[in-house]
Each structure stands twice: as C-alpha cells, then as structure tokens.
Amino acid sequence: MSVAVFLTPQHPDGVEVDPTRPQLLVTDQSATRGDGVFETLLYRHGRIREEEAHLRRLAGSATALDLPLPEASHWRAAMQLALGRFHESAGEGAEASIRLTASRGVPGESGTFWVLVSAVSRSAATAHGPSDGLRVVLLDRGYDAAAADRAPWLLAGAKTLSYAINMAAQRWAQSHDADDAIFVTSDGRVLEGPTSSVLIARRSATGEVTLLTPELETGILAGTTQAAAFEVAAAAGWKLGYGPLTPADLLAADGVWLVSSVRLAAAVTSIDGVSVPCDPELHRVLVEGLDAAL
Ligand SMILES: Cc1ncc(COP(=O)(O)O)c(C=O)c1O
C-alpha cells in the first residue's frame, strides 16, 4: 500500500493524490530526461531514520543540479501528512519507505515535487546475515578515481533520478549468478554498490577491529547508513577509516557489507565467485547497533 503527497505552490506543505492514478505530465523532465534528485528514507519503530541527514543530502544533490527545492520544513510537513494517511490504512506499527522526489518539472514551469510512502516488511528488506549473505560481482564503473573531481558534470555523489546504470548493474549481477554488484573505478578503487555503500571490517591479531569505507573523493554517495554504522562502530570501540580500498582489501577482510537505508546491513559472502568470510560477531554488533540507533 502506498500514499502519495505532492508539494505544490498552492499546497506547499503537501496535498494527497491517488498513487494508483496518473499524476505526472508526459513532458515532466523526470520522465523525459531523468532530470531530478531523490531520497529514500526508512520509517521504523515510529520514527523517520536520519531525517535531517537525508534532507541535507537532498539539498546537496539539488544544488549540484542547480535545481530549486522547497524548504526542508515543507518536505517535513508533507512527510508527516503522508505518514498520517499511511497509518490510517496500514496501522501504527507498520514499517515504510519514504521516497522524496524533486523533478525539474515541465519545461518553462517550476519543478515537480512529491513524497511517496510505501509499506515495507523486514523480510522484504532481507537482512542478509553471514549464513545467507549476498553474492556480489565487481563491475567496472568506467571512470577512474579522479573523474569526480575532473568532471563535475558527471554529478558524482549526487543522488539523481538517472539510475538506469545502477539498475543495469544489478541486472548484470543477477544474470551472472550473483545478487548484487560493487562498482570499481577503472584504476581499481572500490566505490559503492548500485544502491548501497560498502563497509569492510578488519580484525587485527590483537583483536582490534577497524571499520572502513571508500573515500568520498571518488564521487560516491555519502551514505546515511554508513555514517550511522560508523557511530555504532565507534561506540563499540572499533577504529574507523576511509579508503582507498581495492578488491584485494575486500577479499582479505573479516567482513564486507552493503548498507543502505531500507536494507540496513547485508553481509557479503562471495565476491566474483570467491567466498569471503563474514565474522558473525562483527555482523551482530553492526546489525543490532543500527537497529538500536532507530
Ligand atoms: C549509489 C548509492 N550509494 C549509497 C547508498 C546508500 O545510502 P543510504 O545509506 O543513505 O541509503 C544508496 C542508497 O540508495 C545509493 O543509491
């Protein structure tokens, strides 16, 4: 079940529309060019997870595209309106994804902005653990680690609506005996998954744990779940670090995860057909910590 709310000049705090009926014009540039930005947030345990971080990232993505955006207060109000209607149908405890979309809209007019709340179940979100983790393939992203700096028009690090490449990568993985993908630069740096951030953990001979993620300078999205996982790790006394990471680092790790807002932390158990371990204790700390942080 879904609830849709549009933010319009007449209804800046949102007005409900029927998500089962057409609502966009065929000339809307979200449809014709994928020209816009979005965010996906998790609503769980009665709270919107990392609301401010998502709104900040939405604003950052919009700035990168030179896209005027409604004020954060209007997005907050529209989310509350949509969640209120969602709960009337789905019940108070229901878990949901909240998608915020900002499109450049119809040429010559102001943008198109909407909130879509949809039910998710934890089993659908599939918290893959060390025994049923993800098989992942490494895929060449087709540019080197310095491209994001050199070519800002690539919009690296912005969460744009142009996700056709990301979806193609996941289809490629699924047609090659895998569940998901991890992008690697043409010069061999680990980036991110098509819809997730990458985390790895290393345990030293003395038992000290370090949690690492690729460096943002490569143009990956700054993940809200990665940031939350770092807080969990710091509270557990682990050390933290940012890349550069290579495929060899993934294969040598004591745990590799794909993390994102709805799925949270999914363990990776093979990379390009090679089994990788995922330390169950490290997995437990991460998953329980992320859940408690909600
Ligand atoms: C390309 C990409 N990287 C990383 C992430 C993870 O971001 P977050 O943890 O904020 O959901 C996503 C989420 O959809 C993504 O699409």
Side-chain angles (χ1 to χ4, degrees):
M1 88 80 37
S2 297
V3 175
V5 164
F6 270 66
L7 291 77
T8 68
Q10 296 75 30
H11 300 281
D13 287 339
V15 57
E16 191 181 358
V17 298
D18 181 350
T20 67
R21 304 295 309 152
Q23 300 294 348
L24 287 179
L25 292 176
V26 291
T27 47
D28 193 283
Q29 292 173 92
S30 57
T32 57
R33 297 190 193 275
D35 194 353
V37 297
F38 76 105
E39 282 295 322
T40 305
L41 299 77
L42 177 64
Y43 177 84
R44 191 171 182 209
H45 301 328
R47 281 190 47 214
I48 303 175
R49 198 190 71 88
E50 305 290 347
E51 181 177 3
E52 293 312 306
H54 281 285
L55 286 171
R56 265 197 310 277
R57 192 169 67 187
L58 184 74
S61 298
T63 300
L65 270 72
D66 226 350
L67 185 71
L69 210 59
E71 295 286 333
S73 60
H74 295 312
W75 287 107
R76 280 191 214 103
M79 281 192 270
Q80 287 308 326
L81 173 62
L83 280 171
R85 297 287 296 120
F86 175 78
H87 284 130
E88 284 170 22
S89 309
E92 270 303 316
E95 192 165 324
S97 72
I98 308 172
R99 192 178 153 115
L100 314 181
T101 306
S103 156
R104 199 170 302 279
V106 172
E109 295 183 15
S110 61
T112 316
F113 310 103
W114 70 94
V115 173
L116 180 67
V117 171
S118 305
V120 289
S121 72
R122 245 329 76 198
S123 55
T126 56
H128 291 278
S131 59
D132 65 343
L134 300 173
R135 297 161 305 154
V136 163
V137 285
L138 301 179
L139 298 183
D140 185 350
R141 188 63 183 80
Y143 51 66
D144 61 75
D149 249 5
R150 202 171 57 236
W153 51 87
L154 291 180
L155 301 174
K159 200 163 164 66
T160 77
L161 292 175
S162 310
Y163 257 47
I165 288 172
N166 307 47
M167 299 298 100
Q170 286 189 328
R171 280 195 304 277
W172 178 279
Q174 282 151 19
S175 62
H176 289 77
D177 222 19
D179 305 301
D180 210 332
I182 292 178
F183 286 127
V184 179
T185 63
S186 52
D187 49 348
R189 298 267 192 90
V190 174
L191 291 171
E192 61 190 343
T195 62
S196 58
S197 308
V198 174
L199 294 180
I200 75 168
R202 288 180 189 147
R203 203 194 269 280
S204 73
T206 57
E208 190 177 72
V209 179
T210 307
L211 190 68
L212 297 128
T213 197
E215 71 283 21
L216 286 179
E217 291 73 21
T218 50
I220 56 175
L221 197 68
T224 62
T225 317
Q226 172 269 313
F230 267 37
E231 283 178 23
V232 168
W238 299 0
K239 293 194 157 170
L240 306 175
Y242 290 89
L245 300 178
T246 65
D249 291 321
L250 300 184
L251 293 169
D254 296 296
V256 178
W257 295 268
L258 295 184
V259 301
S260 58
S261 291
V262 175
R263 194 161 55 169
L264 297 177
V268 171
T269 46
S270 89
I271 296 174
D272 283 345
V274 178
S275 293
V276 290
C278 184
D279 186 316
E281 173 61 12
L282 302 183
H283 182 76
R284 189 188 60 75
V285 171
L286 262 189
V287 169
E288 288 184 5
L290 283 173
D291 198 40
L294 301 172

